[in-house]
Amino acid sequence: MNRKYRALLIGTLSLILIVLVNSCQPSPPGNTNAPSPTASPTASPIASPNASPAATPDAGKTGRGGPHCDDPPPANPSTCTPPIDQPFVVGCTLPITGGQSHDVDLHCPNDGCATRERDKAQNKIKNNLCSAGPAIQISTTSIDKLQAAVDQLVAQHSFSYGQSPPDPADRAKLHDLSTVDVNGNAVLLGEGKLVTFEGFVLDAKHDDTYLQGSGPQGFKGEGVNCKNSLLEWNDIHVALTETPGADECSSVTAEIIPHFRPALWERFDSNACTSPHVTNPLPIKNLRVRITGQLFFDGSHTPGPCGQPMGPHAFPRRSVWEVHPVYAIEVFDTSKNKFVTLEEWAQGL
């Protein structure tokens, strides 16, 4: 074999040997999103919307909707600008049995961290714990008639809401509206009145927290609660329906505010995303309850009733009239065939 062919043969054998050696190396990790070797060692600390460095290992298998349901609490949960540090003032005898002071009561005032007058006015009403009784028992029909009365004002161009809360002066138009009580008797009701509503718990969740939303860090809390995303700083949103398991678009909303919330009420959470972050959540799904509190008109949103298109500021609910804040919670005890306090019911669990 001449020198030319010998060199060609050696080169070919060398190439085959290199291929065989490389094929024996272990495969790279299956994470195709892993950073390249040239990536900066000081990558952004903001978590991916699909995972968190401290998230549960099987976060994708928990069955809980949303990208943040397994996230750990944020290091800096407050995003109020400018920062607010003022106490909450009840202004009357606290109507909540077993109410106790929390961090939010020491550092977040009645109007939250709102800057516009219309937001300040609405926040103060959201936090009103001084509605006087006796409570009027209402039904979904009562709520529907109240909603229709407000929408008539809108049609007459004398009231507006939805994109933002109504002007503070216009909130007086929310008083003494014609509706009916639970027995169908004609009554005048409106914002600030003490009412009682009976229904079944479709869902209850610590709302507007870091566990919810689709942004990089989840929701950042509400202005009324000084834009703090921790569970204990936010309202517990309760969707109540006439029958167990009905569609949310038929629900009536009740809100348990964080101020002076009893420890037992903190456990009032049935949501698949938020309840795993609550210590010993109560078994309240489809529970028959009776809620007493202030009648409130949420002028920042519009209704999303069944069978109607959802507007840009709507959520699935029959009305934006709410029981907010909640003063008392009762549960129908089937063994006693009557309503008892949440505290008495929970003792039997």
Side-chain angles (χ1 to χ4, degrees):
M1 182 180 294
N2 62 36
R3 186 174 302 172
K4 177 180 178 180
Y5 288 112
R6 185 184 298 114
L8 180 61
L9 179 61
I10 292 173
T12 302
L13 291 173
S14 298
L15 181 60
I16 293 173
L17 180 61
I18 291 172
V19 171
L20 290 173
V21 170
N22 286 341
S23 66
C24 295
Q25 298 299 318
S27 300
N31 180 10
T32 57
N33 293 321
S36 68
T38 57
S40 168
T42 56
S44 170
I46 297 177
S48 155
N50 296 317
S52 165
T56 339
D58 61 344
K61 299 179 182 179
T62 58
R64 293 182 242 145
H68 296 290
C69 293
D70 292 302
D71 283 5
N76 299 299
S78 181
T79 59
C80 221
T81 306
I84 298 292
D85 190 3
Q86 298 172 19
F88 181 92
V89 179
V90 177
C92 60
T93 301
L94 187 69
I96 302 173
T97 301
Q100 56 192 79
S101 182
H102 305 285
D103 200 33
V104 64
D105 303 309
L106 303 176
H107 303 291
C108 186
N110 300 56
D111 55 0
C113 60
T115 55
R116 300 187 306 174
E117 291 305 315
R118 61 181 61 203
D119 294 316
K120 290 180 180 180
Q122 179 160 281
N123 286 353
K124 288 178 180 178
I125 297 170
K126 281 184 175 183
N127 283 325
N128 178 34
L129 292 170
C130 299
S131 181
I136 304 297
Q137 292 190 348
I138 63 171
S139 64
T140 53
T141 302
S142 314
I143 293 289
D144 292 344
K145 286 184 175 294
L146 287 169
Q147 185 64 52
V150 173
D151 290 341
Q152 185 175 12
L153 295 175
V154 173
Q156 295 169 350
H157 306 288
S158 63
F159 191 82
S160 64
Y161 74 97
Q163 188 170 356
S164 64
D167 289 330
D170 281 345
R171 298 201 83 98
K173 299 175 182 178
L174 298 170
H175 300 164
D176 297 324
L177 298 174
S178 179
T179 184
V180 294
D181 65 13
V182 72
N183 296 315
N185 301 315
V187 292
L188 295 178
L189 287 177
E191 190 168 74
K193 291 293 186 180
L194 190 67
V195 296
T196 297
F197 182 85
E198 180 183 330
F200 293 86
V201 178
L202 177 68
D203 189 42
K205 62 182 175 182
H206 289 71
D207 213 357
D208 299 290
T209 67
Y210 68 92
L211 298 169
Q212 299 144 329
S214 57
Q217 298 173 333
F219 288 150
K220 298 181 180 180
E222 280 192 288
V224 66
N225 297 319
C226 294
K227 295 184 179 179
N228 188 307
S229 64
L230 296 179
L231 274 70
E232 60 267 27
W233 276 66
N234 281 280
D235 297 356
I236 299 175
H237 174 96
V238 185
L240 301 169
T241 53
E242 290 183 293
T243 57
D247 291 335
E248 189 173 8
C249 55
S250 68
S251 68
V252 172
T253 298
E255 299 278 359
I256 304 171
I257 65 173
H259 294 287
F260 297 94
R261 189 155 64 203
L264 180 64
W265 292 17
E266 202 69 52
R267 297 164 56 193
F268 203 91
D269 194 310
S270 64
N271 186 265
C273 182
T274 57
S275 64
H277 297 263
V278 175
T279 301
N280 196 18
L282 295 168
I284 57 172
K285 188 76 171 177
N286 294 324
L287 190 67
R288 183 182 173 187
V289 297
R290 195 161 61 186
I291 304 287
T292 297
Q294 175 193 234
L295 193 57
F296 164 73
F297 184 80
D298 184 0
S300 298
H301 301 105
T302 55
C306 303
Q308 297 187 23
M310 293 278 287
H313 304 286
F315 290 101
R317 62 194 66 167
R318 68 192 310 128
S319 172
V320 291
W321 282 99
E322 305 176 352
V323 182
H324 184 164
V326 171
Y327 293 3
I329 305 173
E330 297 171 280
V331 175
F332 188 80
D333 189 323
T334 54
S335 65
K336 299 178 180 178
N337 197 32
K338 67 175 184 178
F339 280 100
V340 299
T341 65
L342 179 67
E343 291 74 17
E344 181 180 341
W345 173 79
Q347 288 176 359
L349 298 179

